[in-house]
Amino acid sequence: MSLSAGATAGYAVLGVFGGYVITSVLLLKCPTILHKKKKRDFWCSHISHRGGAAEKTENTLSAFHNAIDIGTQMLELDVHLTKDKRVVVAHDIDLKRIAGVDAKISDFDYEELPPICKCLKVTFCKDTMYNNDGEEERIPLLDQVFEEFPSIPINVDVKAENDELIMKVHDLVKKYQREKLTVWGNFSDKNCRKLHKLNPTVPLIFSMKRVLLVYVWFYTGLLPFIPLKESFFEIPYPDIFTKLDFPFSPTQKRMFSFVAFLMRSRILVSHLKARGIPTYFWVLNSEEDFEGAFKLGAEGVMTDYPSKLKTWLDKNPQYQI
């Protein structure tokens, strides 16, 4: 008895789908069959978020020196542009939180910027403030950071969608010959595309849009077939938002719980690692979260407590690079 046209078509579709699944699984486990493994010049398990915002005034030279002295392997910082077009190291677009002045950084020339407040809230630590009992701190220039730490990998978050800022950061990276020791990017996909177009040799992080696409591609089986221009997969630790003081509604909390479940994939982290793309989780400040992140396969974590992470890694050398 001959098969009907409908049944034949059904078997054909099933065969194609089966072939797709098998190929996807194969490439998921062995991605270098299709993709050349990315090369890089450094490896990091210990990354200091804003230099270690819970131990020193965030994004300052004293914070960066403290983190380096402790043994951090990478500094993470943020940059903006002043009125006189200097690239400064600061997270916020304005000065209200860090300096108590209700104005934007771009409203001031560099020399006019006010000192940083003695007491700052640590963003990713619930009910935690950092109190500076020492000398007054000032917002540093990116030039100063590059000069002070010529051999330390630095993760530069280019905060504003500003072509002049992007170009000036690029020029500083070139000036200090830091193409192989700088990682750059931002949540903004537009910024990431511009940075990569300007200098594709500088390692790029995934924008938030691209992070979401990676998960969509992963759960639909497409990821093993797709080339990736980025070199570092930096994502929030799955539980981070439910542990903070953000005023989430019950519905939002359930949504974050579901997202956290989807993000907990060792298979995805392993696949990216096999392609030469390490996963870094941010921002972790407890031993429980350190352990959770490394058990998920992360190469490194960003922390506000460099000394705490260093102590934990010393006790768990299997995760230390």
Side-chain angles (χ1 to χ4, degrees), residues 258-290:
F258 178 67
V259 171
F261 171 76
L262 293 179
M263 291 176 69
R264 291 179 178 280
S265 174
R266 286 183 57 86
I267 297 174
L268 171 59
V269 173
S270 177
H271 171 76
L272 293 174
K273 181 179 179 180
R275 292 175 69 163
I277 302 173
T279 296
Y280 295 158
F281 283 116
W282 53 264
V283 174
L284 288 67
N285 291 315
S286 71
E287 292 187 355
E288 176 188 3
D289 287 344
F290 299 158

Side-chain angles (χ1 to χ4, degrees), residues 163-233:
D163 289 349
E164 195 166 10
L165 172 62
I166 289 171
M167 180 58 73
K168 285 186 174 293
V169 172
H170 166 264
D171 290 345
L172 287 172
V173 170
K174 292 278 288 184
K175 176 182 176 180
Y176 291 95
Q177 299 179 347
R178 291 192 53 90
E179 290 93 339
K180 294 183 178 181
L181 284 174
T182 302
V183 181
W184 63 10
N186 181 247
F187 278 178
S188 164
D189 193 58
K190 185 184 294 186
N191 269 16
C192 287
R193 283 187 279 109
K194 288 179 178 179
L195 287 165
H196 188 65
K197 183 177 181 180
L198 196 59
N199 194 336
T201 66
V202 179
L204 182 71
I205 67 172
F206 287 77
S207 67
M208 188 53 64
K209 176 183 176 180
R210 294 277 291 179
V211 168
L212 294 174
L213 283 172
V214 164
Y215 279 100
V216 171
W217 294 331
F218 172 67
Y219 282 107
T220 58
L222 288 169
L223 182 60
F225 302 97
I226 295 175
L228 300 171
K229 64 179 181 289
E230 297 87 353
S231 298
F232 290 83
F233 193 56

Side-chain angles (χ1 to χ4, degrees), residues 8 39 106 128 169 177 197 298 319:
T8 302
K39 296 180 179 179
S106 59
T128 300
V169 172
Q177 299 179 347
K197 183 177 181 180
Y319 299 120

Side-chain angles (χ1 to χ4, degrees), residues 70-272:
I70 288 168
T72 199
Q73 296 160 303
M74 176 187 276
L75 299 171
E76 187 274 345
L77 54 80
D78 316 274
V79 293
H80 286 283
L81 205 61
T82 60
K83 186 178 179 180
D84 56 345
K85 311 305 180 185
R86 308 291 296 277
V87 182
V88 294
V89 180
H91 178 271
D92 302 359
I93 193 172
D94 60 53
L95 295 159
K96 192 170 185 179
R97 180 182 68 90
I98 62 172
V101 177
D102 192 9
K104 293 182 179 180
I105 288 174
S106 59
D107 293 335
F108 292 83
D109 287 343
Y110 176 67
E111 297 298 336
E112 298 173 340
L113 287 172
I116 300 173
C117 292
K118 286 281 189 175
C119 184
L120 289 179
K121 187 180 188 306
V122 182
T123 308
F124 289 94
C125 294
K126 187 175 182 180
D127 302 323
T128 300
M129 306 290 291
Y130 172 71
N131 293 289
N132 175 22
D133 297 325
E135 296 182 3
E136 189 174 77
E137 296 278 10
R138 304 196 69 85
I139 297 172
L141 293 165
L142 185 60
D143 305 58
Q144 294 174 303
V145 179
F146 283 172
E147 286 176 359
E148 291 275 343
F149 311 104
S151 61
I152 301 297
I154 297 178
N155 187 311
V156 181
D157 188 343
V158 184
K159 302 301 288 187
E161 291 188 0
N162 181 314
D163 289 349
E164 195 166 10
L165 172 62
I166 289 171
M167 180 58 73
K168 285 186 174 293
V169 172
H170 166 264
D171 290 345
L172 287 172
V173 170
K174 292 278 288 184
K175 176 182 176 180
Y176 291 95
Q177 299 179 347
R178 291 192 53 90
E179 290 93 339
K180 294 183 178 181
L181 284 174
T182 302
V183 181
W184 63 10
N186 181 247
F187 278 178
S188 164
D189 193 58
K190 185 184 294 186
N191 269 16
C192 287
R193 283 187 279 109
K194 288 179 178 179
L195 287 165
H196 188 65
K197 183 177 181 180
L198 196 59
N199 194 336
T201 66
V202 179
L204 182 71
I205 67 172
F206 287 77
S207 67
M208 188 53 64
K209 176 183 176 180
R210 294 277 291 179
V211 168
L212 294 174
L213 283 172
V214 164
Y215 279 100
V216 171
W217 294 331
F218 172 67
Y219 282 107
T220 58
L222 288 169
L223 182 60
F225 302 97
I226 295 175
L228 300 171
K229 64 179 181 289
E230 297 87 353
S231 298
F232 290 83
F233 193 56
E234 298 181 4
I235 57 174
Y237 185 60
D239 296 337
I240 188 67
F241 294 108
T242 58
K243 293 184 176 183
L244 299 178
D245 290 327
F246 298 131
F248 295 133
S249 68
T251 300
Q252 288 173 321
K253 288 180 180 178
R254 286 193 293 271
M255 179 190 72
F256 279 120
S257 295
F258 178 67
V259 171
F261 171 76
L262 293 179
M263 291 176 69
R264 291 179 178 280
S265 174
R266 286 183 57 86
I267 297 174
L268 171 59
V269 173
S270 177
H271 171 76
L272 293 174

